[in-house]
Amino acid sequence: MSSLDPDHLNYIPLFPYNGTGPTGGNSLTDDFNIWYESGNYAWMMTSTALVLLMIPGVGFFYSGLARRKSALSLIWLSMMSTAVVSFQWFFWGYSLSFSHTAGSFLGNLDNIGLRGVLGQESVGSSKIPDLLFAVYQGMFSCITVALAVGAAAERGRMLPCVVFMFVWATLIYDPIACWTWNASGWSFKMGGLDFAGGTPVHIASGSAALAYSLMLGKRRGHGTHELNYRPHNVTHIVLGTVFLWVGWFGFNGGSALAANLRAVMACVVTNLSASVGGITWCLLDYRLEQKWSTVGFCSGVIAGLVAITPGSGFVPAWAAVIYGVVGGAACNYATKLKFVIGVDDALDIFAEHGVGGIVGNILTAFFAADYIAHLDGYSVIEGGWLNHHWVQLGYQIADSVAGFAYAFGGTCIILFVMNLIPGLSLRASEEAEILGIDDAELGEFAYDYVELTREVISEDDSAPKFSSETGSPSRLHADDRSEKP
């Protein structure tokens, strides 16, 4: 007997998919596992967990950038977005985005409640089944919403924000995901290239954050010494950046939807662009203040990660250096836009994600290469300017403009309507803003012991600056004297 006899090999032979019906067959009589490689299962489930890890990363990053008295609320919002959007995705989000019979703009409700989502080949790739694709893409929806709701920082009420999560995921994220990644979507059919979410994730969340900041209005004291403060906890910013950087390997690498060489290349360019982005931002900040900013480095890393996202499965390794430099520089300068347009984007979400996503989409038109996409063994694209496919720039611009216009305009409409509904007014009261959203809305704090040196601003050096030097620490806590830079 030959040692290569397939009946005596110690692995399950792989067979071409031959399932029937929307679920792929009857699991009591059919072995669904023979159609998909176990290595693809393992990589995609790991990638799903890595993307989930990014969400608390967003929370820590945002909380570190904010003032102490509203730090915990931003972590809470990021975690709550996971819960709310996971339910929304199960209920109808996945069906609206990735139903097999979707239209050019939006899916249908064939898979409401994940009905019929099991062993059939997924819309995204024939290498993984529907159910695995659904849970992986659900994490993308969750983190997109988590990125957007950071715009509520320091003056937004929590309940309306939670309602906004569900509504926005349904009306804004799901249609953009459909037209970008579903084979029936208009951008997909046009030839737009977006490997891991330049438009559905970054342009959409950045535009939504800009709209949310505009509709909320400026924070109390904006433009005066009352808001002259630095990020309250740089360690949180570093921790959040680490979570995001690690998780982005699953975000971009997992978007190959299989364990193959294309996924490896996506991880390579992701790490390289992040590294170069961090260096670029650091150098740009150093030229102004001659200080090596930790916050600047972390911001640059995020800018590099955002920029490479749409091109990560399409571009060669050397192009990642250009993505990092251009993405880091563009996002750095974009942080000044909020002063030009007069919108209080407290955490620079639009500068990082909106502008970074647009830059990444456009660079992909230049550097996308057909031989990189085909590293998975089956994907075929016409490529970008490297392949003399000049019209790709038009496709990328069209997709970016459509994503920005739809997300920004749609978010403004959603928030305008919500603000008219009793109980869903967006803005916290002035008293709550003075007290801090943590105290007013959560009744909990990020820290048990609070050092108040930077909370008190006074021309009188003899004024008490520590809770131990005054008989009324609670009075200092409630006072809205801003953090001293």
Side-chain angles (χ1 to χ4, degrees):
M1 181 181 296
S2 170
S3 60
L4 296 180
D5 186 342
D7 294 331
H8 293 80
L9 294 177
N10 59 353
Y11 60 83
I12 299 175
L14 193 65
F15 292 89
Y17 176 78
N18 62 355
T20 58
T23 62
N26 182 355
S27 61
L28 291 175
T29 57
D30 302 318
D31 183 2
F32 293 177
N33 299 295
I34 64 174
W35 300 324
Y36 308 104
E37 294 185 23
S38 57
N40 292 338
Y41 274 113
W43 170 237
M44 293 309 302
M45 288 188 284
T46 301
S47 294
T48 300
L50 286 171
V51 179
L52 176 60
L53 179 68
M54 296 170 70
I55 299 174
V58 171
F60 277 108
F61 190 88
Y62 283 171
S63 76
L65 287 171
R67 284 182 288 183
R68 173 202 53 78
K69 60 185 180 181
S70 297
L72 189 61
S73 65
L74 289 165
I75 297 176
W76 187 92
L77 283 173
S78 71
M79 299 305 293
M80 183 57 73
S81 68
T82 308
V84 171
V85 180
S86 289
F87 173 76
Q88 185 273 349
W89 192 251
F90 153 80
F91 183 65
W92 60 21
Y94 175 72
S95 191
L96 292 174
S97 301
F98 294 111
S99 53
H100 288 261
T101 54
S104 296
F105 184 78
L106 187 65
N108 50 44
L109 296 179
D110 285 353
N111 302 120
I112 188 170
L114 294 186
R115 182 179 61 186
V117 178
L118 197 59
Q120 187 179 11
E121 290 180 340
S122 71
V123 169
S125 172
S126 62
K127 302 297 181 181
I128 58 173
D130 265 342
L131 189 61
L132 181 53
F133 183 67
V135 68
Y136 177 67
Q137 283 294 338
M139 294 299 108
F140 276 63
S141 184
C142 291
I143 193 169
T144 304
V145 172
L147 289 170
V149 298
E154 303 192 341
R155 78 269 201 203
R157 292 177 60 227
M158 311 288 262
L159 175 61
C161 196
V162 171
V163 174
F164 171 80
M165 293 172 186
F166 189 96
V167 175
W168 189 88
T170 300
L171 299 181
I172 307 298
Y173 179 82
D174 293 344
I176 299 178
C178 179
W179 84 48
T180 302
W181 289 321
N182 196 312
S184 301
W186 68 262
S187 180
F188 188 98
K189 290 189 291 186
M190 174 183 69
L193 299 178
D194 191 337
F195 189 66
T199 300
V201 177
H202 297 298
I203 294 178
S205 63
S207 304
L210 184 67
Y212 210 124
S213 300
L214 175 66
M215 299 299 286
L216 266 183
K218 299 175 182 178
R219 287 167 292 171
R220 184 179 182 275
H222 185 265
T224 71
H225 73 280
E226 290 188 76
L227 271 181
N228 183 20
Y229 71 94
R230 293 187 301 241
H232 94 280
N233 192 323
V234 178
T235 303
H236 271 190
I237 295 173
V238 174
L239 182 64
T241 302
V242 170
F243 281 9
L244 286 165
W245 198 338
V246 172
W248 229 289
F249 280 79
F251 193 83
N252 287 352
S255 292
L257 301 179
N260 53 43
L261 197 54
R262 192 182 188 191
V264 176
M265 180 60 81
C267 291
V268 169
V269 297
T270 296
N271 185 64
L272 186 54
S273 181
S275 302
V276 175
I279 295 169
T280 300
W281 194 302
C282 234
L283 291 173
L284 289 172
D285 280 2
Y286 184 83
R287 85 189 195 283
L288 298 175
E289 301 181 14
Q290 284 70 56
K291 301 288 186 183
W292 299 106
S293 170
T294 305
V295 176
F297 175 77
C298 291
S299 299
V301 167
I302 302 303
L305 290 167
V306 170
I308 195 62
T309 291
S312 54
F314 298 118
V315 302
W318 58 265
V321 176
I322 300 173
Y323 275 83
V325 171
V326 178
C331 294
N332 181 290
Y333 288 115
T335 59
K336 312 300 187 292
L337 280 175
K338 63 184 179 183
F339 303 111
V340 176
I341 62 180
V343 175
D344 184 14
D345 184 1
L347 306 178
D348 289 319
I349 302 170
F350 178 72
E352 286 270 20
H353 297 276
V355 172
I358 292 170
V359 167
N361 274 358
I362 292 174
L363 288 178
T364 300
F366 297 128
F367 301 110
D370 53 4
Y371 72 95
I372 297 296
H374 200 65
L375 285 174
D376 59 12
Y378 56 89
S379 293
V380 177
I381 66 170
E382 294 186 82
W385 284 25
L386 286 183
N387 293 119
H388 308 293
H389 187 230
W390 315 116
V391 74
Q392 190 63 46
L393 179 60
Y395 296 159
Q396 297 302 103
I397 292 174
D399 182 76
S400 299
V401 170
F404 171 80
Y406 182 75
F408 180 80
T411 303
C412 285
I413 294 172
I414 291 170
L415 294 172
F416 178 79
V417 172
M418 284 180 57
N419 225 9
L420 299 176
I421 301 174
L424 292 183
S425 58
L426 305 174
R427 184 77 183 244
S429 66
E430 184 176 14
E431 180 182 3
E433 191 175 348
I434 292 172
L435 192 62
I437 301 299
D438 290 359
D439 199 354
E441 295 264 346
L442 297 178
E444 299 167 333
F445 308 95
Y447 317 98
D448 289 330
Y449 173 79
V450 182
E451 185 268 308
L452 295 172
T453 302
R454 289 170 57 197
E455 186 77 12
V456 178
I457 185 168
S458 173
E459 297 297 328
D460 182 5
D461 289 336
S462 65
K465 290 183 172 61
F466 296 90
S467 57
S468 59
E469 296 179 55
T470 176
S472 181
S474 60
R475 179 183 62 80
L476 284 174
H477 169 71
D479 201 350
D480 190 41
R481 288 169 288 187
S482 296
E483 298 178 34
K484 185 177 180 180

